[in-house]
Amino acid sequence: MWEKSKDVGTAERYGIMLLSKTPPDTAGARLVLSEPAIKTDQNAGLLLVRARIGMIDNRTNEMERDAKAAFALIKQDDPGQVGAYFIQLLNQVFRRPGDAKGRIADAHLFIDALRPKNGFSEAVEVNLAAMTLSEPTLRDKGIAVLQQLSETAKDKVVGYRAARSLGTDLYNKKKYEECVIYYKRAKEFNPDGYENLNDLALVLARQLGKFDEALPSAERAAQLAPNNVFTVTTLGVVQGGLSQNDKAEANLRRAIALTQEPAQIVVPMIRLAERRLKMGDKATAAKIFEDITNQLARERDPKRIREAYGEDIDKLEAGLKAGT
């Protein structure tokens, strides 16, 4: 494809693919980026690919030079461009082959060193802060910045991102009442953010048992994203909690029919099995559980599904054994 279409998008994708090989083909990636027609020095995405080459080859000066040049090229008040930069910086430039995740502390130190005297834009600050939530040494500072932005951000996209980040962090820590506060705050910044509406409805329903309160958000999320596995599943869960049995069954089965991706399809399958078991239909629940097991067997990396839904799968299996 690269030989037929020597454009920027193809160069970036091909370069990343070459660097994803074992071992990384840094020479091949350098050759791609040296093509005059794509003007690597004028494109942030290509500069970040070249920065990754510098990191892999232990050429720190080259890596930092290209990452800085890429940062200078993006519109730093544009949340979309800034967010894309941070994702690539963390997942490519500050992530060595074999690392499970990017090196957050190193990436944070690199960006913070670029801070101008009058400070970063809100878009940069929210991404920098959100990045620190899983880094113990930086976490408290990041939370403080996100809390402030969730209250005072002038850019609605930034406020939404800040509130969402805090809500998700609190959900992961099982602080569900506090989580709801921030998901509701995110809703104020973006009333039609379907992912946030879905997450809000799910926490209200599954974790707090507030099905009546959850229903409007679940319905709106499913209306905004009618073919999304997760919004349709959540709506089915909420309807089930309100004894809207036919609607719940129909939506959970429709969610299953929407995808064959194991990481997605197991979610409505688990919820439908839970529902059938609760209604006393152990045979159907057992058959769905068998289908879940088969889906895991087909998944290339079942560990990632287990990490996300292992607790629910184990509870379902225990319920089947107990008959409840």
Side-chain angles (χ1 to χ4, degrees), residues 64-83:
E64 291 185 351
R65 177 202 66 202
D66 287 331
K68 287 177 183 177
F71 187 70
L73 284 174
I74 64 172
K75 293 181 180 179
Q76 295 180 22
D77 59 351
D78 183 325
Q81 286 194 27
V82 173

Side-chain angles (χ1 to χ4, degrees), residues 160 186-198 217 220-221 223-225:
Y160 179 78
K187 184 179 176 181
E188 293 174 6
F189 283 105
N190 182 6
D192 288 339
Y194 77 86
E195 290 178 327
N196 184 68
L197 289 168
N198 182 71
S217 293
R220 182 58 178 157
Q223 181 184 36
L224 290 164

Side-chain angles (χ1 to χ4, degrees), residues 30 47 50-55 57-69 93 110:
R30 282 186 185 277
L47 282 167
R50 199 167 71 187
R52 178 161 176 76
I53 296 173
M55 182 274 295
D57 287 346
N58 291 314
R59 298 180 179 182
T60 304
N61 289 340
E62 291 183 13
M63 180 270 281
E64 291 185 351
R65 177 202 66 202
D66 287 331
K68 287 177 183 177
V93 181
F110 170 79

Side-chain angles (χ1 to χ4, degrees), residues 231-270:
T231 61
V232 178
T233 298
T234 298
L235 181 57
V237 168
V238 174
Q239 290 167 332
L242 294 170
S243 299
Q244 298 177 8
N245 298 326
D246 291 344
K247 290 181 178 180
E249 184 86 10
N251 276 313
L252 290 173
R253 291 195 177 278
R254 191 169 83 82
I256 292 170
L258 283 171
T259 182
Q260 291 300 313
E261 169 61 38
Q264 295 184 6
I265 199 171
V266 296
V267 182
M269 291 173 76
I270 291 168

Side-chain angles (χ1 to χ4, degrees), residues 1-12:
M1 182 179 291
W2 166 242
E3 293 300 327
K4 294 181 180 179
S5 179
K6 293 188 176 183
D7 56 53
V8 170
T10 304
E12 184 172 347

